[in-house]
């Protein structure tokens, strides 16, 4: 406490008050104890303040409610009332733009959430929404503070409600830098992006002890909910890193590509790559043979500014690529089939991954470029029983609902329902371009010939020769490069080397696009 300075009966001295305030603030900045700070370092983790220093521009972070302390009693809590109550809240700038943040301080009550702790988070979330600025959570907490009972649970409810209210209004980024268990995991699940650091971050609903007692299975914290598990298996984490420094540097990079809120466009950057640059290497990167694999990532990197693709979920559902990039300095979202992984086929996980990304881009006014080389949806009992109909419909719904500029580029094959779902003109793409290698059809020529001409093939003296004949016939009539363009389903067939220039000019024309959806409370997307 700051007591009245000076001898008894002397008039108040403002300088003395200020000196005592400075001393109290120094206690807040120092944290609970040197021992607690040492233990945090021994766990391989930075302190909450060190993390905030990495996130924000130097000297820009402004803390609020640093002197907040809990008012709970019982179980010895009345004798332990540290400053901050285990969470740092405030705002600062990232590349000069306002960003709000809260950071759990594991040194105080293990970063656990109690009533005062939750109220601080509610406050900064409300400020972020009011100011129309992004919110970053640096999570390193042991869950609900058990000694405070139901008030801790109510605190989580307030966070979840605000996560949902801010969804699609301001960017919300969760950075997992420690344990996150039980109901606490639903807050990162409700945000736009989740970052995790290997070795120190875990997320799970029930921990290894509960799993062991219920199922008898022995499993470690990392095996159950570590960064690699969520980055490659569950899809709960969009980005995974080895160090906190690399992680927070990429959080800053992501923020530089996002608008502050849904009323703004993404911030442009000075163009460092010629808009007229011809992409001659594309002519060698993509094989004309529709059955030959290649890396679509290399194609994307040749087209975008400086080859800089910021990919989301790079290690999950790898048969589709989703990422942010710039074209002539302007941010775009890219969705692309990846022939190098499962031939680029659409399945349950790719549909979910792409649908979420499309929806995020639409929320924050990021134009979409969809690069298509897809043989169809993955067949099989597991996919059908797993709900490919529902999950595939999520991607269809996301595209149909998107009002941002949308450009489809058909690189090679586009077969069946997968062609429609990958932002075809029929579901609302503003423009559709195709390379001369495009094959747009209900199915590949080989399969189509076997269905359409099965009688002719069966009756032929040489069925194999007949099959080859009908394959060529089908391809020449229905799958030739200009077929879709002749029917207005493709706006132009372009030289691959001109792709960058065509996309930039098209996006420039569409930048002022305005579209609105029917008046409704909200849609009812597939579950």
């Amino acid at each position: 406490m700051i007591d009245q300075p000076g001898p008894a009966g002397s008039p108040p001295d403002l300088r003395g008050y200020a000196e005592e305030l400075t001393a109290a603030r120094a206690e807040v900045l120092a944290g609970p104890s040197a021992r607690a700070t040492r233990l945090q370092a021994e766990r391989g983790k930075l302190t909450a303040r060190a993390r905030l220093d990495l996130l924000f521009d130097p000297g820009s972070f402004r803390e609020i409610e640093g002197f907040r302390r809990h008012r709970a009693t019982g179980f010895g809590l009345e004798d332990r009332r540290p400053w901050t109550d285990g969470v740092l809240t405030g705002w600062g700038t990232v590349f000069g733009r306002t960003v709000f943040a809260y950071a759990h301080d594991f040194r105080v009550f293990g970063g656990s959430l109690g009533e005062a702790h939750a109220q601080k988070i509610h406050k900064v979330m409300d400020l972020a929404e009011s100011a129309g600025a992004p919110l970053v959570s640096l999570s390193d907490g042991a869950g609900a503070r058990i000694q405070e009972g139901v008030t801790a649970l109510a605190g989580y409810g307030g966070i979840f409600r605000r996560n949902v209210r801010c969804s699609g209004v301001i960017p919300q980024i969760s950075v997992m830098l420690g344990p996150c268990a039980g109901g606490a995991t639903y807050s990162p699940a409700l945000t736009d992006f989740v970052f995790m650091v290997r070795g120190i971050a875990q997320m799970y609903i029930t921990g290894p002890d509960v799993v062991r007692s219920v199922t008898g299975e022995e499993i470690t914290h990392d095996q159950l909910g570590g960064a690699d598990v969520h980055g490659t298996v569950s899809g709960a984490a969009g980005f995974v890193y080895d160090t906190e420094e690399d992680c927070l540097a990429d959080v800053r990079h992501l923020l530089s590509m996002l608008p502050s809120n849904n009323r703004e466009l993404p911030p442009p950057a000075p163009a460092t790559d010629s808009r007229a640059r011809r992409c001659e290497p594309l002519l060698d990167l993509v094989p004309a043979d529709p059955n030959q694999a290649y890396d679509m990532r290399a194609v994307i990197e040749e087209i975008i500014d400086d080859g800089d693709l910021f990919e989301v979920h790079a290690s999950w559902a790898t048969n589709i690529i989703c990422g942010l990039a710039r074209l002539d300095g302007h941010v775009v979202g890219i969705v692309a089939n990846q022939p190098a992984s499962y031939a680029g086929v659409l399945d349950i996980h790719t549909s979910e991954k792409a649908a979420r990304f499309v929806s995020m881009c639409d929320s924050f006014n990021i134009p979409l470029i969809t690069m298509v080389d897809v043989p169809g949806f993955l067949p099989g009992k597991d996919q059908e029983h797993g709900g490919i109909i529902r999950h595939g419909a999520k991607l269809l719904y996301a595209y149909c609902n998107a009002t941002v500029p949308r450009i489809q580029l058909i690189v090679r094959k586009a077969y069946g329902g997968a062609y429609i779902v990958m932002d075809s003109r029929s579901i609302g793409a503003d423009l559709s371009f195709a390379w001369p290698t495009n094959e747009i059809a209900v199915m590949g020529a080989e399969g189509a010939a076997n269905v359409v001409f099965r009688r002719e093939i069966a009756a032929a003296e040489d069925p194999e020769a007949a099959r080859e004949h009908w394959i060529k016939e089908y391809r020449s009539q229905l799958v030739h490069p200009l077929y879709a363009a002749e029917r207005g389903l493709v706006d132009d067939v372009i030289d691959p080397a001109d792709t960058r220039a065509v996309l930039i000019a098209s996006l420039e024309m569409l930048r002022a696009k305005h579209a609105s959806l029917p008046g409704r409370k909200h849609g009812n997307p597939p579950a």
Side-chain angles (χ1 to χ4, degrees):
M1 294 292 293
I2 300 177
D3 298 318
Q4 178 176 312
S10 64
D13 183 345
L14 187 57
R15 189 177 301 278
Y17 278 125
E19 289 174 356
E20 292 207 9
L21 173 63
T22 300
R25 194 177 302 282
E27 289 183 22
V28 173
L29 295 174
S33 69
R35 178 178 178 275
T37 301
R38 186 181 69 254
L39 289 174
Q40 181 78 348
E42 289 174 358
R43 297 184 188 101
K45 299 192 291 186
L46 300 175
T47 65
R49 293 195 184 278
R51 290 163 173 168
L52 290 169
D53 287 342
L54 289 172
L55 174 64
F56 288 110
D57 297 336
S60 70
F61 179 66
R62 179 71 180 179
E63 186 174 1
I64 56 175
E65 297 198 14
F67 293 115
R68 187 72 179 266
R69 301 199 288 191
H70 73 77
R71 56 187 180 184
T73 58
F75 306 102
L77 284 178
E78 62 272 16
D79 300 322
R80 298 177 61 204
R81 301 182 65 232
W83 301 119
T84 74
D85 200 49
V87 65
L88 311 181
T89 57
W91 76 90
T93 60
V94 175
F95 296 114
R97 299 163 62 223
T98 299
V99 173
F100 289 80
Y102 65 88
H104 298 294
D105 190 342
F106 198 82
R107 300 174 301 168
V108 179
F109 297 127
S112 61
L113 183 139
E115 180 187 33
H117 184 119
Q119 288 174 349
K120 290 182 66 174
I121 295 174
H122 297 168
K123 170 72 172 180
V124 80
M125 294 180 79
D126 290 342
L127 282 173
E129 181 186 6
S130 297
L135 175 72
V136 178
S137 64
L138 305 180
S139 299
D140 184 9
R145 194 172 300 166
I146 298 171
Q147 300 95 319
E148 295 197 30
V150 71
T151 56
L153 297 179
Y156 275 122
I159 293 172
F160 303 156
R161 179 165 58 89
R162 287 168 172 83
N163 284 141
V164 173
R165 193 173 69 201
C166 291
S167 180
V169 178
I170 58 172
Q172 298 179 82
I173 299 173
S174 295
V175 188
M176 314 310 294
L177 303 168
C180 185
T185 57
Y186 287 112
S187 180
L190 290 168
T191 59
D192 299 301
F193 300 96
V194 177
F195 290 70
M196 293 187 75
V197 175
R198 292 183 178 93
I200 62 172
Q202 300 93 32
M203 288 194 296
Y204 37 67
I205 297 295
T206 54
D209 292 340
V210 176
V211 172
R212 185 184 308 112
S213 66
V214 174
T215 69
E217 182 181 4
E218 293 287 342
I219 191 167
T220 67
H221 290 274
D222 270 344
Q223 289 170 340
L224 183 62
D228 285 317
V229 168
H230 288 306
T232 63
V233 180
S234 76
F239 307 92
V240 175
Y241 298 88
D242 289 323
T243 69
E244 295 189 50
E245 290 83 357
D246 288 344
C247 176
L248 290 167
D250 265 6
V251 173
R252 286 175 55 86
H253 181 55
L254 174 60
L255 286 166
S256 75
M257 304 183 82
L258 298 174
S260 293
N261 56 66
N262 64 343
R263 301 182 301 276
E264 298 180 5
L265 295 175
T272 55
D273 197 345
S274 170
R275 60 181 292 157
R277 172 172 60 80
R278 279 180 59 81
C279 304
E280 296 288 346
L282 293 178
L283 298 170
D284 299 314
L285 284 173
V286 179
D289 180 357
N291 297 317
Q292 189 174 339
Y294 64 94
D295 187 357
M296 180 67 85
R297 192 175 288 103
V299 175
I300 297 169
E301 291 172 351
E302 174 61 27
I303 294 169
I304 61 179
D305 289 0
D306 305 307
D308 185 10
L309 175 67
F310 192 67
E311 190 172 350
V312 184
H313 290 294
S315 299
W316 179 63
T318 54
N319 30 330
I320 202 161
I321 297 170
C322 298
L324 297 174
R326 292 185 183 274
L327 278 171
D328 197 34
H330 294 273
V331 178
V332 295
I334 294 176
V335 179
N337 305 112
Q338 172 57 296
S341 176
Y342 299 101
V345 70
L346 290 181
D347 59 19
I348 289 172
H349 291 324
T350 56
S351 297
E352 286 189 319
K353 171 179 168 178
R356 175 77 168 165
F357 182 77
V358 168
S359 181
M360 183 281 299
C361 288
D362 187 50
S363 294
F364 297 116
N365 307 311
I366 300 172
L368 284 161
I369 295 173
T370 303
M371 301 175 64
V372 185
D373 190 346
V374 62
F377 282 93
L378 181 63
K381 181 184 72 174
D382 290 343
Q383 288 290 308
E384 297 295 346
H385 291 186
I388 184 61
I389 295 172
R390 290 186 295 108
H391 296 291
K394 291 178 183 178
L395 180 54
L396 183 60
Y397 187 100
Y399 270 124
C400 291
N401 204 48
T403 60
V404 293
R406 292 157 49 189
I407 299 175
Q408 181 193 51
L409 175 66
I410 300 170
V411 175
R412 209 167 53 170
K413 58 187 176 295
Y415 295 154
Y419 154 69
I420 302 171
V421 169
M422 290 295 291
D423 205 20
S424 64
R425 282 278 304 276
S426 60
I427 65 169
D430 297 293
L431 292 168
S432 177
F433 299 106
W435 286 5
T437 44
N438 79 83
E439 292 187 4
I440 307 172
V442 175
M443 62 178 67
E446 291 83 359
N450 288 336
V451 173
V452 177
F453 305 109
R454 62 183 181 276
R455 290 189 180 88
E456 289 85 345
I457 294 171
E461 291 183 6
D462 186 347
E464 284 304 316
R467 181 178 289 108
E468 288 300 318
H469 166 77
W470 290 115
I471 288 172
K472 292 178 181 178
E473 186 71 16
Y474 183 86
R475 184 174 283 123
S476 67
Q477 291 193 33
L478 296 178
V479 195
H480 63 80
L482 299 180
Y483 182 82
E486 289 173 359
R487 283 149 183 81
L489 297 175
V490 165
D491 290 287
D492 197 9
V493 179
I494 63 173
D495 181 342
D498 293 331
T499 301
R500 173 177 166 84
V502 168
L503 292 177
I504 288 173
S506 301
L507 288 167
E508 192 171 56
M509 177 274 292
L510 290 167
R511 200 156 291 138
K513 175 187 174 181
H514 175 77
S516 58
L517 296 170
R520 58 185 175 184
K521 188 173 182 180
H522 57 74
N524 186 23

